[in-house]
């Protein structure tokens, strides 16, 4: 069974631009969560989608948005990029139940110049 | 609100000696607790999870953790460290309160294994 895949793996953008990251969950998984990892703030929850609906959202500005498609693939968008958005963005998929293990992808490394 | 505190940011051990990574939690509910490991330039991998069954949880690669409610702790141990154990380890609590898969991560413990 293929794992969680994220594309692209690396991305360089400049301030003010926008970016879209993609996550393909494990087949059969309906929940996709996104996390931001930075040296200063650690791992922080962005949002979770389940069956195309946002089920929970972290404390991030509205510049961060996401969506989930009917095949459970998810995209995350960041508009008006700031230097502080440079981070590793991790996606995790699960069956969606409270005790179901979340499987993480390798992440997308975003650098904002 | 749920939270976890990892008591050591760096731990260094010699190969073949025991590993102890400490974690305390705070939770309004009976918590679901996890340990994840992250090797350099890799994603996160689940080592083990506690979900209110047995208090001593065995995970992959010889790791185990014990849930102690009286001490609000969930320390990760391994009897004998291997060079391949060098990585960053995260103690994690699941944020309950409705249908959600939100995980709350500790700040991480970087484990170094000396030959």
């Amino acid at each position: 069974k293929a794992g969680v895949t994220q594309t692209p793996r690396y991305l360089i953008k400049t301030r003010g631009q926008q970016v879209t990251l993609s996550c393909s969950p494990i087949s059969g998984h309906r929940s996709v969560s996104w996390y931001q990892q930075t040296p200063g703030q650690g791992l922080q929850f962005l949002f979770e989608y389940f069956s195309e609906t946002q089920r929970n959202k972290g404390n991030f500005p509205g510049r961060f948005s996401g969506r989930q498609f009917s095949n459970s693939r998810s995209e995350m968008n960041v508009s008006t990029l700031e230097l502080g958005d440079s981070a590793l963005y991790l996606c995790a998929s699960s069956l969606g139940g409270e005790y179901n293990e979340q499987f993480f992808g390798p992440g997308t490394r975003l650098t904002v110049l | 609100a749920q939270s976890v505190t990892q008591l050591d940011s760096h731990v260094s051990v010699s190969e073949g000696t025991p590993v102890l990574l400490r974690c305390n939690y705070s939770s309004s509910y009976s918590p679901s607790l996890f340990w994840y490991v992250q090797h350099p330039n890799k994603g996160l991998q689940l080592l083990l999870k506690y979900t209110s069954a047995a208090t001593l949880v065995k995970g992959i690669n010889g790791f185990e953790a014990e849930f102690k409610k009286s001490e609000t702790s969930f320390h990760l141990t391994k009897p004998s460290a291997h060079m391949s154990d060098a990585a960053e380890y995260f103690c994690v609590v699941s944020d309950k309160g409705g249908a959600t898969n939100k995980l709350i991560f500790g700040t991480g413990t970087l484990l170094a294994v000396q030959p």
Side-chain angles (χ1 to χ4, degrees), chain B residues 2-46:
Chain B
Q2 275 59 250
S3 67
V4 287
T5 301
Q6 292 185 245
L7 301 172
D8 306 292
S9 58
H10 292 82
V11 169
S12 182
V13 301
S14 298
E15 190 174 21
T17 64
V19 175
L20 170 64
L21 305 184
R22 300 182 295 163
C23 173
N24 287 348
Y25 71 89
S26 173
S27 177
S28 309
Y29 321 93
S30 178
S32 295
L33 292 161
F34 311 81
W35 276 97
Y36 278 84
V37 62
Q38 186 176 36
H39 290 275
N41 299 314
K42 295 282 181 68
L44 291 155
Q45 181 184 23
L46 179 68

Side-chain angles (χ1 to χ4, degrees), chain A residues 59-78:
Chain A
N59 296 324
F60 279 81
R63 299 185 298 107
F64 292 82
S65 63
R67 59 177 175 169
Q68 187 180 33
F69 302 95
S70 58
N71 61 358
S72 292
R73 189 178 70 86
S74 177
E75 287 182 348
M76 186 193 119
N77 185 273
V78 188

